[in-house]
Amino acid sequence: MTLTTHILGYPRIGAKRELKFAEESYWKGEIQQVDFLAEAQAVEAANWQAQVDAGISILTVGDFVLYDSVLTHAVRLGIIPARFKDAAKLNQVDQQFYLARGRAPNCSDVAALEMTKWFDTNYHYLVPELNSAQEFKADFSDLFAQVERAKAFNKPLKVVVPGLLTFLYLSRIVDTYETLETKQHTCECNITQREVAANQATLQFIDALLPIYAALFDELKARGVDYVQLDEPALVLDLEPEWQTAFERVYHLLQRRDGLKLIVATYFESLGANLNLAVNLPVAGLHIDISREKAGEFFWKKVIDQLPAHKILSLGLINGRSVWASDLTALNDIVQTAQKSLGDRLWLSSSCSLLHVPVDLDSEIIPAEVNGKLAFARQKLNELVALAQGNIYANAKLSPTTTQTFNLVAQSRPDTFSARFEAQQEKLKLPLLPTTTIGSFPQTTEIRAARAAWNKGDLTQAAYEAAMQKEIAYAIQQQEQLGLDVLVHGEAERTDMVEYFAGLLDGFWLSKFGWVQSYGSRCVRPPIIVGDIQRPNTMTVKWIQYANSLTDKIVKGMLTGPVTILNWSFPPAHRSRREVCLQLAEAIRLEVADLQAAGIGIIQIDEAAFREGLPLRKADQAEYWDWAVKSFKHCSSSSRIDTQIHTHMCYSDFKDCLQQITTMDADVITIETSRSGLQLLEVFHEQGYPNAIGPGVYDIHSPRTPTADNMRTVIDAALKTIPAERLWINPDCGLKTRNWAETKAALAELVSMAKQVRQELESQAA
Ligand code: GLN
Ligand code: ZN
């Protein structure tokens, strides 16, 4: 007997990023909305066709949205914050884009909705903003049109809708929105790292939403839909009692007796303490993610034991977060056992939506060592059907992708910060309030053109290097003219702070089409870790040494840290993140040592994504912090006492992790402060921070030229928290997304403000 199969969702960007390109031309006004929607519907249809071709039993509808599922749901519920006054003129398609981008044709520019990370993934959703007196005006006609289109495929239909409670959990109440300026999402780190934290106040909207959900279910039933998948990933979190009670109440009130089957979908963790709650919700079925189970845990067995006798259990076996082929033999054992208890109440599925993996492996040139071992979304459909049919092909010798025995023990610098600080002052002779930047300078069209030509083979290695050297020389000259104290080479040679290193380290594979949606039309192509990580050659030394040769000033070397490289890559199968991270740390340690040997006295190790890999449940977090901090410290463990180690982090929420940031023990940390107002500095003030800090004195993401006054406000606030001896003056992130004119104007202000404050402090001291 073939078991029922379905997936929780499919990537919507299209195998060749068709949706992205259509969307971007629509935003630029190059194509009309009808044409854009036609392209979008072609991707939607291709996604259904892929499921049908693979032999998946139930077709998933409604996972395909134009920008983000949470956003689409909010717009369908009529949740449009007051500042989007002009939204009333728009249809739902443009309303979504207006809310997401703050911009729409014939509408005034306003601040876009905030976006934040979707649980522990690198996907970002738009945070719905409700007001305390929120009224809802539901219009699901678009979803119904999707259902009608799906009928052409002659399959049982399952419609995906955000669960009522997870939707409220992720929303926030905003009564007065203080817009300082339109936020623009222009770089990889420009994402607010707001914790997924429940604000119980949103629970007040349950009663208003219940009839809307009920009416939606009635209509779906009337249209012949068989199942509704309610995405409730909040059920895997450490839930407060108020939320647990709300789950019971809401699902009690939403139960159906007319044959429409509700499936509550949970993912990204096992159910943990919510097991009992989840299995007893009065719905037709429950979906659980078994990909996160720890070895020997068998949590899924507990779920089966406790599941009421009539219920469907959808087992999320095929890992929707991994690019690796599944071990079908091992999964088949699970299927056999589960089937004994459940019979045809057992459904097989992906652990979560396949949105988090690239679309298709077919057009890739796969390196021999991993040939047959990878699976992107389309290949995962086949795995699912193979399992359901008991057609267990030995898909790969899925042995661990490592050959080395792992025996690295993390090291750290022996000296205390105060001893290092003294030695570094002695050697570097930096002025009070030294000025610097975060690393990158504008990635100009010429730089991109040179790289594209080099990649295509139209530019020789020597010509490419010469072009990059020219950029470096220009950056050095500009920084000297501006009067900055610590210079950087400008990172012209880097496409991306992770991809650059992944391209030079052994053990990585860079795919050609392995794009994954990050937010809206923005896609990332995470490198894939396929083997032992090793550094065959130095990676940055020649560029930084060249920059250093052009100036008498101090040049800071620039590296990406191991935790960030790991968190923005696909990890290997069968190896712990801790072990991989330490291997990366060892590669970076060698680079630090080589930079130091080449005469570089300051080295920055960026950790933009340091907390992105933090586990969802409190109980698992300490272990993560432990290896993340150790890996970071290992990188500088062999540096001399007078080599100054900097780090940079972009996000603004340090409240719950300043202690871990402190234990990283970088000599200098540069952070974002200007966008979060001065709240961030308050955290440093309340909790104390022993080493040196460079709070960003202006927001590089804003296209406006920052004023000296704004910078002064940050510096004054910082001086109340950090003694002047330990304070640096810098922008809040890299400048690669800006142009040179803006950059020079802003940095000129920055340097003159630093000089002014320096003089004031010195005359006070005299
Ligand atoms: N050094 C990098 C840059 O300046 C840091 C970027 C980041 O943290 N996102 O671009
Ligand atoms: Zn940054």
Side-chain angles (χ1 to χ4, degrees):
M1 184 187 64
T2 301
L3 289 165
T4 302
T5 48
H6 73 127
I7 52 167
L8 297 200
Y10 202 72
R12 47 205 174 220
I13 53 171
K16 296 276 150 46
R17 288 182 295 161
E18 292 86 345
L19 184 65
K20 169 200 177 69
F21 296 121
E23 213 151 60
E24 290 173 357
S25 17
Y26 175 56
W27 294 338
K28 282 193 224 137
E30 293 164 1
I31 55 171
Q32 300 293 310
Q33 194 180 90
V34 275
D35 303 318
F36 160 60
L37 290 177
E39 298 232 21
Q41 283 169 25
V43 179
E44 179 190 64
N47 290 357
W48 286 327
Q49 194 61 54
Q51 294 169 58
V52 172
D53 290 348
I56 298 285
S57 0
I58 299 174
L59 207 56
T60 297
V61 183
D63 57 323
F64 184 87
V65 292
L66 301 176
Y67 199 100
D68 163 54
S69 297
V70 178
L71 171 70
T72 301
H73 196 56
V75 167
R76 285 172 176 164
L77 292 171
I79 305 172
I80 308 229
R83 68 178 177 285
F84 297 90
K85 281 191 283 301
D86 296 332
K89 297 192 278 199
L90 307 171
N91 67 8
Q92 278 191 347
V93 173
D94 285 332
Q95 282 179 344
Q96 297 178 50
F97 294 150
Y98 191 24
L99 264 61
R101 309 175 66 232
R103 213 174 314 150
N106 308 317
C107 295
S108 42
D109 280 6
V110 290
L113 291 187
E114 190 185 306
M115 64 178 170
T116 195
K117 271 161 62 74
W118 176 244
F119 295 81
D120 61 352
T121 70
N122 288 333
Y123 174 77
H124 303 83
Y125 72 95
L126 279 294
V127 182
E129 276 174 39
L130 306 162
N131 62 60
S132 314
Q134 184 70 49
E135 288 181 12
F136 301 94
K137 212 168 91 238
D139 177 357
F140 285 94
S141 41
D142 234 34
L143 179 62
F144 302 143
Q146 280 184 297
V147 169
E148 296 308 318
R149 290 196 291 274
K151 286 182 180 170
F153 292 84
N154 292 317
K155 287 270 178 181
L157 300 183
K158 179 196 68 180
V159 169
V160 188
V161 180
L164 193 158
L165 285 159
T166 295
F167 181 75
L168 288 180
Y169 196 93
L170 300 175
S171 301
R172 56 179 193 150
I173 299 181
V174 179
D175 283 322
T176 44
Y177 191 91
E178 289 162 25
T179 36
L180 294 173
E181 60 188 30
T182 316
K183 277 190 227 154
Q184 277 203 330
H185 301 295
T186 45
C187 95
E188 68 263 30
C189 60
N190 183 24
I191 283 143
T192 327
Q193 295 285 327
R194 226 171 42 88
E195 279 285 277
V196 178
N199 174 353
Q200 282 155 25
T202 57
L203 288 171
Q204 65 183 285
F205 298 110
I206 289 176
D207 291 326
L209 288 174
L210 279 170
I212 295 180
Y213 271 72
L216 169 63
F217 296 162
D218 288 346
E219 179 73 31
L220 292 173
K221 164 84 186 150
R223 286 174 185 268
V225 169
D226 306 277
Y227 306 97
V228 178
Q229 168 188 323
L230 294 155
D231 277 346
E232 291 285 17
L235 271 175
V236 308
L237 302 175
D238 301 313
L239 283 182
E240 323 239 304
E242 290 79 354
W243 285 91
Q244 294 182 326
T245 318
F247 266 100
E248 275 167 1
R249 179 165 165 257
V250 162
Y251 282 92
H252 181 74
L253 293 169
L254 284 179
Q255 32 184 329
R256 303 289 296 190
R257 300 210 161 78
D258 60 357
L260 178 71
K261 293 192 163 66
L262 304 185
I263 313 290
V264 166
T266 68
Y267 40 87
F268 299 147
E269 265 302 340
S270 61
L271 291 165
N274 300 322
L275 167 65
N276 196 25
L277 168 69
V279 293
N280 289 311
L281 293 175
V283 287
L286 177 68
H287 170 89
I288 58 168
D289 178 346
I290 69 161
S291 70
R292 291 298 183 86
E293 293 212 351
K294 299 177 184 84
E297 195 178 26
F298 303 117
F299 199 88
W300 56 273
K301 288 190 183 166
K302 287 189 205 148
V303 177
I304 292 180
D305 286 346
Q306 298 203 22
L307 195 76
H310 56 89
K311 268 196 197 171
I312 295 164
L313 183 67
S314 161
L315 272 190
L317 301 140
I318 303 292
N319 191 342
R321 299 281 295 276
S322 146
V323 291
W324 297 95
S326 307
D327 181 345
L328 294 181
T329 315
L331 292 180
N332 187 46
D333 290 344
I334 297 179
V335 172
Q336 296 306 320
T337 311
Q339 203 181 355
K340 274 196 202 105
S341 321
L342 297 167
D344 61 3
R345 290 188 289 122
L346 174 66
W347 286 12
L348 307 186
S349 182
S350 57
S351 64
C352 57
S353 166
L354 297 176
L355 148 83
H356 307 289
V357 291
V359 182
D360 197 353
L361 205 51
D362 262 8
S363 19
E364 300 285 352
I365 302 165
I366 301 165
E369 72 263 35
V370 288
N371 201 3
K373 297 187 182 181
L374 293 161
F376 290 176
R378 212 165 66 85
Q379 289 68 43
K380 287 177 191 287
L381 298 176
N382 299 333
E383 292 184 342
L384 200 52
V385 174
L387 268 181
Q389 296 175 342
N391 170 22
I392 306 309
Y393 52 91
N395 53 348
K397 319 274 161 300
L398 283 169
S399 52
T401 47
T402 181
T403 50
Q404 292 181 349
T405 41
F406 190 80
N407 56 9
L408 184 67
V409 178
Q411 306 292 326
S412 55
R413 303 178 87 177
D415 303 295
T416 62
F417 169 72
S418 52
R420 300 193 311 255
F421 188 67
E422 207 174 296
Q424 291 160 17
Q425 272 310 96
E426 179 81 21
K427 175 172 155 214
L428 301 168
K429 305 208 168 22
L430 292 164
L432 199 58
L433 310 183
T435 53
T436 192
T437 60
I438 305 305
S440 58
F441 274 112
Q443 281 269 333
T444 58
T445 4
E446 294 80 60
I447 297 179
R448 280 186 237 272
R451 190 166 17 254
W454 173 58
N455 280 331
K456 269 177 48 198
D458 294 347
L459 199 64
T460 62
Q461 178 71 17
Y464 175 68
E465 290 195 8
M468 293 302 114
Q469 285 190 342
K470 204 173 125 218
E471 297 294 337
I472 292 173
Y474 181 75
I476 292 290
Q477 183 207 6
Q478 295 308 311
Q479 294 172 85
E480 284 193 324
Q481 263 171 28
L482 284 160
L484 286 153
D485 299 309
V486 173
L487 314 192
V488 294
H489 79 294
E491 300 179 25
E493 80 287 5
R494 302 187 191 174
T495 38
D496 165 292
M497 61 188 288
V498 169
E499 195 179 74
Y500 177 77
F501 290 93
L504 294 173
L505 288 166
D506 285 349
F508 279 91
W509 174 50
L510 300 177
S511 68
K512 229 172 146 56
F513 303 103
W515 297 98
V516 175
Q517 188 180 22
S518 169
Y519 60 86
S521 69
R522 166 98 175 214
C523 301
V524 292
R525 199 173 36 173
I528 300 174
I529 302 178
V530 296
D532 279 312
I533 290 155
Q534 257 167 343
R535 191 196 66 144
N537 295 301
T538 63
M539 303 181 283
T540 62
V541 177
K542 70 174 176 209
W543 305 114
I544 291 162
Q545 209 170 18
Y546 175 69
N548 200 32
S549 72
L550 302 173
T551 178
D552 294 333
K553 292 236 169 144
I554 298 168
V555 172
K556 170 165 75 166
M558 211 42 71
L559 302 172
T560 301
V563 184
T564 297
I565 298 181
L566 177 68
N567 284 341
W568 283 348
S569 300
F570 280 112
H574 306 294
R575 289 175 67 197
S576 72
R577 289 198 296 160
R578 173 190 158 275
E579 180 185 312
V580 178
C581 199
L582 272 176
Q583 246 184 12
L584 282 162
E586 174 62 7
I588 301 296
R589 185 189 68 80
L590 294 170
E591 190 72 12
V592 169
D594 284 337
L595 282 170
Q596 181 179 269
I600 304 302
I602 302 186
I603 299 163
Q604 177 171 311
I605 306 167
D606 286 326
E607 283 289 16
F610 198 68
R611 61 171 294 172
E612 286 198 7
L614 190 65
L616 291 171
R617 295 229 194 92
K618 289 264 177 307
D620 303 324
Q621 293 176 352
E623 192 224 337
Y624 172 83
W625 286 125
D626 180 66
W627 60 253
V629 169
K630 280 187 179 140
S631 300
F632 176 81
K633 291 175 79 167
H634 183 75
C635 300
S636 60
S637 56
S638 46
S639 32
R640 285 197 311 261
I641 186 167
D642 58 2
T643 297
Q644 191 166 72
I645 301 295
H646 290 213
T647 190
H648 167 71
M649 291 183 183
C650 306
Y651 45 83
S652 50
D653 204 353
F654 282 103
K655 232 187 303 42
D656 57 350
C657 66
L658 187 58
Q659 193 206 330
Q660 286 79 12
I661 305 294
T662 305
T663 54
M664 290 166 76
D665 197 26
D667 297 312
V668 182
I669 180 171
T670 56
I671 50 174
E672 180 277 324
T673 30
S674 47
R675 269 175 300 156
S676 57
L678 298 167
Q679 289 152 12
L680 179 56
L681 283 171
E682 279 163 28
V683 177
F684 280 79
H685 190 70
E686 279 160 20
Q687 302 190 20
Y689 184 79
N691 302 9
I693 315 180
V697 299
Y698 80 88
D699 176 7
I700 65 100
H701 305 92
S702 159
R704 288 187 331 171
T705 307
T707 67
D709 279 355
N710 289 345
M711 296 188 191
R712 179 82 206 215
T713 312
V714 180
I715 298 172
D716 286 344
L719 280 168
K720 295 203 179 96
T721 300
I722 309 146
E725 297 70 43
R726 289 197 270 122
L727 186 62
W728 284 65
I729 308 289
N730 47 262
D732 71 347
C733 197
L735 295 158
K736 69 176 177 200
T737 57
R738 306 263 53 114
N739 64 39
W740 270 108
E742 296 166 321
T743 298
K744 282 193 259 185
L747 291 178
E749 289 286 0
L750 178 144
V751 171
S752 92
M753 185 47 72
K755 283 190 178 145
Q756 188 185 323
V757 180
R758 193 180 293 159
Q759 253 167 25
E760 287 172 22
L761 289 171
E762 277 161 359
S763 61
Q764 275 165 28

